[in-house]
Amino acid sequence: MVRTPLTPEERERGERLGALLREARGPRSMVEIAAVSGLSPETLRKIETGRAPTPAFFTVAALAGALGLSMDEIATACSPMPA
């Protein structure tokens, strides 16, 4: 399967998502948040660093629950920036 390259907007959105998750995680460890959300620490690390800029909806929902974020907060933080 050939994956289409990400657009600059998709990469930027992934970076904003990662920054939001890192901020919401605060002093808690990646291992702790990954365990609570049912993900591997490696998956969380990839999302937080922007290496996995388009995680699945259910992955984002699990992280939102573990971090006390609403999906609305995430959607607002990751929406396209005005030109």
Side-chain angles (χ1 to χ4, degrees):
M1 177 171 106
V2 176
R3 188 176 259 183
T4 30
L6 296 174
T7 65
E9 293 82 16
E10 288 171 323
R11 278 192 233 101
E12 183 181 330
R13 187 176 58 227
E15 290 170 6
R16 287 196 306 269
L17 174 61
L20 174 67
L21 296 177
R22 280 191 307 277
E23 182 180 328
R25 182 165 56 85
R28 295 176 286 180
S29 73
M30 272 189 193
V31 173
E32 176 188 346
I33 298 304
V36 170
S37 59
L39 302 171
S40 72
E42 178 65 13
T43 297
L44 179 54
R45 186 183 64 75
K46 285 179 181 178
I47 295 168
E48 283 192 0
T49 60
R51 285 188 49 223
T54 57
F57 174 82
F58 292 104
T59 299
V60 176
L63 287 167
L67 294 168
L69 295 170
S70 73
M71 292 301 282
D72 286 337
E73 288 175 288
I74 293 173
T76 300
C78 297
S79 64
M81 295 292 190

